[in-house]
Amino acid sequence: MRRMRRLRAPGIREMVAETQLSLKDMIQPIFVDERISLPKAIEAMPGQFRQSLESLEVEAGLLEDLGVPAVLLFGLPAQKDEVGLGAYDPEGVIQRAVRRIKETCNLIVITDLCLCEYTSHGHCGLIRGETVLNDETLPILGKIASSHAEAGADIIAPSGMMDHMVRAIRTALDLDEYTDTPILSYAAKYASTFYGPFREAAESGFAFGDRKGYQMNPANAAEALWEVQLDIEEGADMVMVKPAMPYLDILRMVKDMFGVPTAAYQVSGEYSMIVAAAERGWLNEEAAFLEALTCIKRAGADMIITYWAKEYATKINNEELRMIP
Ligand code: PBG
């Protein structure tokens, strides 16, 4: 008689596991704030900090020593304006941050490319009245991309969900001879409430409206495939589904349909929910992250952007962690 439990005995269970998490797939987001000199705790994301340009070097070195392969950088500039000039200033926070990391270590540096941290209104594009302008924003995204590549970014990750942003960025990079710099497009990015804690982390709350006019409707799946297809046609080398856990169906479809390197972003709200529940004693933090991350990988993610990457690496290094949940 077939007994499924035979393969669930300790040891055998691990041998037949279909999915293995690996530190090699993980990407740690880092917030760099040029106004501070010491790391500053992010209240809505316990355990996460904004780094200063100085502390960033220490943090990057630590991550490299722990074996985290890559970081995703977000910048908090000293000044914001209507049109987000700071986003492509050669002495801007991200440009300086990238140079510092690349001078001191070998981490793969991915830069988030968006206007929302640099505009006074907090939207991801230029505005007229309360409308976010798509086509007028595109040349600026191209300029930002080239300035990131110039600073030494290894991968450019546009997150603004402007139509044709990938083409604009690829064109600008190629013109400036950054033909070998890959684009990781936030292709299927939903207008999600799970970005809540990020607004504190990156101070990117918006002055009016919402992002529903340019980010995707959580009710839609077929549209995600369309978005991904367009980005691939425009030159995206890798694509992303974001958030991760409520969107595992999308992740699976994208991976099956296109077969391109696919990243999933376990976003701020997904992180903080687990940490907050664990703080109350309602969940085991480590077990919850292991399960969530394993399921994200099982659903098709080749890479996972997670705020827990450093913690995972620390536990692996201390051999505290079982690889399989
Ligand atoms: C900027 C951006 C956001 C996130 C990543 N890039 C916020 C947003 O689109 O509103 C969210 C990441 C997270 O919640 O961890 N466009």
Side-chain angles (χ1 to χ4, degrees):
M1 197 169 50
R2 176 67 54 208
R3 289 190 189 278
M4 297 307 284
R5 63 168 61 194
R6 284 181 205 129
L7 301 184
R8 292 176 191 147
I12 299 180
R13 180 180 187 276
E14 282 71 23
M15 272 178 81
V16 301
E18 297 171 45
T19 308
Q20 293 269 345
L21 273 184
S22 163
L23 186 52
K24 294 269 167 285
D25 307 326
M26 294 199 190
I27 300 166
Q28 171 76 46
I30 302 185
F31 301 97
V32 191
D33 187 339
E34 68 179 348
R35 302 162 304 182
I36 59 177
S37 49
L38 293 172
K40 186 167 187 290
I42 301 167
E43 261 177 56
M45 301 178 71
Q48 300 295 314
F49 295 82
R50 284 189 205 156
Q51 302 294 335
S52 69
L53 282 158
E54 291 72 37
S55 66
L56 173 67
E57 267 184 45
V58 182
E59 182 70 5
L62 201 60
L63 289 169
E64 184 178 34
D65 291 345
L66 286 167
V68 176
V71 292
L72 172 64
L73 294 188
F74 294 94
L76 284 86
Q79 255 140 34
K80 304 189 187 211
D81 59 52
E82 275 275 295
V83 294
L85 286 176
Y88 52 93
D89 179 349
E91 292 306 315
V93 54
I94 280 298
Q95 291 76 2
R96 284 197 285 159
V98 173
R99 286 198 295 267
R100 282 203 174 208
I101 298 181
K102 296 308 288 185
E103 273 162 22
T104 52
C105 69
N106 289 315
L107 285 174
I108 293 172
V109 176
I110 309 171
T111 51
D112 180 271
L113 191 167
C114 196
L115 274 181
C116 61
E117 289 120 60
Y118 301 88
T119 50
S120 41
H121 46 76
H123 277 289
C124 305
L126 300 180
I127 55 167
R128 186 181 301 130
E130 296 207 347
T131 306
V132 177
L133 303 170
N134 192 90
D135 294 10
E136 290 80 347
T137 302
L138 297 179
I140 301 183
L141 299 183
K143 278 192 206 176
I144 305 173
S146 288
S147 84
H148 286 187
E150 229 248 281
D154 297 293
I155 301 173
I156 310 284
S159 66
M161 286 294 278
M162 296 297 119
D163 289 321
H164 303 307
M165 65 179 184
V166 174
R167 186 195 298 149
I169 289 166
R170 185 73 269 160
T171 306
L173 289 173
D174 289 353
L175 272 176
D176 289 335
E177 295 180 11
Y178 299 113
T179 49
D180 290 344
T181 303
I183 298 173
L184 164 58
S185 177
Y186 286 65
K189 177 173 173 180
Y190 285 86
S192 173
T193 199
F194 293 104
Y195 307 152
F198 179 91
R199 306 261 147 87
E200 182 209 327
E203 281 183 8
S204 70
F206 28 82
F208 59 86
D210 53 40
R211 301 208 204 284
K212 290 180 183 160
Y214 42 102
Q215 297 181 349
M216 284 186 55
N217 182 346
N220 296 353
E223 187 192 350
L225 301 179
W226 201 5
E227 280 279 5
V228 168
Q229 183 177 350
L230 287 170
D231 281 5
I232 294 172
E233 284 168 7
E234 289 181 22
D237 302 279
M238 301 179 271
V239 295
M240 190 195 301
V241 174
K242 177 186 170 192
M245 208 147 77
Y247 297 87
L248 296 184
D249 55 334
I250 311 296
L251 189 57
R252 168 51 60 202
M253 283 196 288
V254 166
K255 187 63 202 175
D256 285 351
M257 190 84 88
F258 299 100
V260 302
T262 303
Y265 197 146
Q266 184 188 45
V267 300
S268 57
E270 296 179 74
Y271 171 85
S272 295
M273 284 193 300
I274 295 177
V275 175
E279 279 182 351
R280 292 188 165 200
W282 293 348
L283 272 182
N284 177 296
E285 177 179 314
E286 177 183 310
F289 273 110
L290 267 189
E291 184 175 331
L293 295 169
T294 300
C295 294
I296 292 167
K297 182 151 188 201
R298 188 205 62 223
D302 300 299
M303 298 155 275
I304 307 176
I305 300 164
T306 170
Y307 298 97
W308 209 65
K310 183 182 176 187
E311 195 61 31
Y312 178 83
T314 307
K315 289 181 189 289
I316 291 274
N317 277 275
N318 296 339
E319 291 177 31
E320 285 170 24
L321 198 64
R322 287 163 21 103
M323 308 285 280
I324 295 165

